[in-house]
């Protein structure tokens, strides 16, 4: 299983998933917020089945370079 989620994307998934989980723990969001575990797990694993189906690879060198440029702004 090759990685298809780049570093920037992985960080966003982990951060967003943790926010959802914290909202669920604090009872500030509905039960759907527990779905935050999905992006956290995918972020740590580095592989997304939906990306594979769509042919997206954010771990490619071209994609990583464009993310680095955006982060520098």
């Amino acid at each position: 299983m090759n990685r298809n989620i780049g570093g920037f994307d992985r960080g966003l998934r982990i951060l967003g998933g943790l926010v959802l989980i914290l909202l669920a723990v604090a009872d500030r969001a509905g039960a759907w917020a527990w779905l935050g575990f999905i992006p956290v797990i995918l972020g740590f694993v580095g592989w997304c089945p939906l990306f594979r189906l769509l042919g997206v690879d954010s771990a490619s060198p071209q994609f990583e370079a464009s993310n680095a440029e955006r982060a520098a702004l």
Side-chain angles (χ1 to χ4, degrees):
M1 185 166 48
N2 293 331
R3 290 189 175 181
N4 62 1
I5 300 175
F8 186 75
D9 192 6
R10 292 174 75 187
L12 285 178
R13 286 173 188 251
I14 293 169
L15 181 65
L18 289 175
V19 167
L20 284 174
I21 293 168
L22 288 174
L23 288 172
V25 168
D27 202 22
R28 297 286 183 189
W32 63 270
W34 288 106
L35 293 175
F37 277 108
I38 295 171
V40 170
I41 292 169
L42 292 177
F44 279 117
V45 172
W47 186 80
C48 177
L50 183 60
F51 271 21
R52 179 166 161 81
L53 288 174
L54 297 175
V56 176
D57 185 3
S58 68
S60 68
Q62 298 95 357
F63 199 87
E64 287 289 328
S66 67
N67 280 336
E69 290 172 6
R70 275 185 252 151
L73 295 177

